[in-house]
Amino acid sequence: MPNLFTKITLKRLYLLIPLIVLCTGVSSCTNQSNQIILLSGQHEQTTAPLVNKFESLYHVNVSVRYSDDELLAKILAAEGNHTYGDLIYVENIESLNYLAKKGLLIILPATITNSQNVNYRSSKGFWVGVSLRVSVLMYNPSLISKKDLPVNALELANPRYHNLVGIAPTEPDFIPVVTAMQKAYGAQATINWLKGLKANAGSHIYQSDEDLAYAINFGQVALGIVNQYYYYRLKANYTAQAIHSKITYFAPEDPGYVLSVSGIAILKTSTKLPLDIKFIKFILSQSGQQSLVDSGSFEYPINPKVQNPLLKPLTQLQPYPLKPDEIGDGSNAFALLQDAGLI
Amino acid sequence: MMQTITVFPSHVKTFFNKLWWILLIAFSLLVLMPLGAVLLELALSNLSIVKTELLSKDTVKILYNSIELSIFVTVGAAFLGIILAFFVLKMSSLNKFFTIALALPLAIPDFVMALSFLLLFPKAQGILPASLVMICATYPLVFLPVRNALMAQDANLIDIYKVFNLSNKRIFLTQLSYLKQAIASGAILVFLASLSEYGTYALLGYQTLTTYAYSIFRIAGAGNQAFAVSLVIVIVGIIITLLKVLLVKSQLLSLSAQVSVAHSHQSIPTSMKIIAAALLSITTGICLLYPLVISLINANFNAILNSETYRSIFYSLFYAGVSSVVIVIASLVIIFTSYLRPLRVIKYLAQFSVATLSIPAIIIGISYTYIFSHYLPWFYLNPITLIASYVAMFFPLGFSTLYSYAQQLPKELVECALTHKLNIVKTFLRVFIPEMIPSLATATLLSFVSIITELILTLILIPTGQTTLATTFWNYASNFDFHQAAFYSLMLIIIPSALFSIALVYQRAP
């Protein structure tokens, strides 16, 4: 061993490390003219097929930086005007509203925004929806029978569900539900509802919908609100024998029954505007939306010409009417969650 | 204490001064940057919000949760680590095997351990499972230094105790008092690891300061409360480090530096041997074999043929390898220069830099994002940024390991080489490094294992288009694709384990 160290001089070692580092970095640093950088907070399983199809159709290289929505939002806020990315694609629009508020997004061309349903895009044109998810009540029939399930979200705070409810208060998917509750019943009633949920949940407070869905399925807790696709993804990844849970919907237009939007936007620092627009147009096209369905993400395609046959048809859903601007960057819901002691 | 070299050629002084200040400033900045960022963010924030956050009932309650859990884990890991270290050295056969097997849980990512635990006990939640998983994951941090300290002990000590007719229990307690230095060093690492852990607590549904800080980060519109919470974590880390420093300064602990500790291959009663073998086997079974088997059973081996796998393995090895080498080289240079000029700042660096291990990775990641994207854009989203952040985060781990070992070395060799006009680089390479070799493997591997399993910092700073085993594992696990995730967790276990085993097999006694 000593010989090894004496043979290699310190100088050579010093030279070697930056050389390797720089060589490895070359590929990541180059940003060619036919390349765009996509920051994705969406699941890789959803994003990758879209990117692959786009690359093969348009011969444009898409370099993807994967992370969590919120982490990406915080990273971009920290980077400010020094961002190295062109597009951002996220699961929840709170992150996009947050970035728009910080002045980090551009207004999309009307040719993109005008074709979309007003409920699925930013009113100021900063982002457009790509897919939709709906909040459902997931439950474990061995722990609670269907007849005992609440018909509206407000009932979940009822003491009769003590020790039966699980919640993921810091899951970004929960923010639209809290916002809808606030819109429907007011801030104080929402805080009381959240306090009731907290009391009923006891120790069943989870970090994410994935954890909550897993907990319900495997009998840690009887029921909870999650977005529908977590249930379907769980089903897709386990054998039928391992699935011990089901989903149901709250009463029509109940604030626990909300549609949330996954969206895409262009960063202010992007220098590849034509390619960015091409990518967004593709992702909203029939071809792009079909890729989304085929990826097994179990989200609702936003383009009405494409359907996911495995899901209850979007037209049959009766969610609470909630506009994207009402959700904002999640700070209102965050304040309510804090007041209720859930954060 | 180290002695100042009095005969000091002028060329050495010039070289030393330049090298010293450049390295010291560079590494101090690197290590202190995240802490500086926390303070800067707080200074720029709405102070009333920060004050409210710090004094809120919830923060106090969660702080209590964190400290309570960290104490449980530290006591449990220390107890288990000490007992196992004693028992493993009493085994006449399979000693080496158990040493390796018992050190290997360190190579298993905590979140993999937690996931395996959840598969066995799907309803497990709260402080008890969280403590058990963390004890399993961290006891090697006590086991390894205690075992090394035991091995370094003069075996004749036991005979002396026997002459005085001390019972086995008394001998054990006497030996224990000499082990305090090793136990304290290991225990503080366990405490800080437990304080800054996120994945295990998130999976097992136990709220601590770290899960709280991450929760706040998860809401886009939330303010700077996360930085306030991080400050609380850092303060707790510093207090604990200070306590350890005070303890080490105490009379009892200083003895251990001179009289190193307890080891003997003396025979023990058969009943005790059976208990020892059972405990060693059970710990190996639960903390190593079980997560390994779970990963093996669930792993989808089709992934082997996937280019994503090769890419993940390459980048994992590359980043962990380069970063841990940088940590070790930088530590060696700083420690070597401290031989020549024992400045207090090095002592403080060794004592307190370990507190930075308590800073949540998300804070380091965001602060580095800000600093590199604004002031060093050429390096931003380049491997250099990620390596620098790994070095900042795990530097204390390698540095404190090497520093504590270096304190036991005779300084005369270096003095002699320099006074005989051997130049400083040759002295460093031919005299100092060979002397440090027994501790190099431990320092490199501790850093390597921590880096290869790191997730949050990697997600934030990894160059676009690159993946590591940890990020690929996270990607599949967050999509309920546990078969693919299991394959990557298996890789995360096997690669560091193989390296760890090789290092331990060839490890020389101190």
Side-chain angles (χ1 to χ4, degrees), chain A residues 93-94 117-121 127 135 173-184 253-255 257-261 319-328:
Chain A
I93 51 148
E94 296 97 275
N117 182 325
V118 71
N119 287 324
Y120 307 149
R121 65 173 160 91
W127 53 264
S135 60
D173 291 347
F174 193 55
I175 297 296
V177 175
V178 176
T179 311
M181 291 299 281
Q182 185 188 9
K183 186 182 170 189
E253 300 203 1
D254 183 79
Y257 185 175
V258 289
L259 269 179
S260 57
V261 185
Y320 182 80
L322 189 66
K323 290 192 169 69
D325 287 348
E326 289 167 334
I327 296 172

Side-chain angles (χ1 to χ4, degrees), chain B residues 40-91:
Chain B
L40 185 70
E41 278 284 344
L42 288 174
L44 298 174
S45 316
N46 181 343
L47 284 177
S48 64
I49 294 177
V50 173
K51 198 175 159 191
T52 312
E53 184 61 44
L54 288 177
L55 299 176
S56 81
K57 260 188 198 169
D58 287 328
T59 307
V60 174
K61 187 176 165 261
I62 297 164
L63 173 66
Y64 175 79
N65 274 3
S66 296
I67 293 178
E68 185 188 27
L69 177 68
S70 298
I71 290 173
F72 275 172
V73 174
T74 308
V75 171
F79 182 75
L80 189 61
I82 294 165
I83 297 290
L84 292 172
F86 270 92
F87 279 171
V88 86
L89 292 173
K90 300 286 181 195
M91 299 292 286

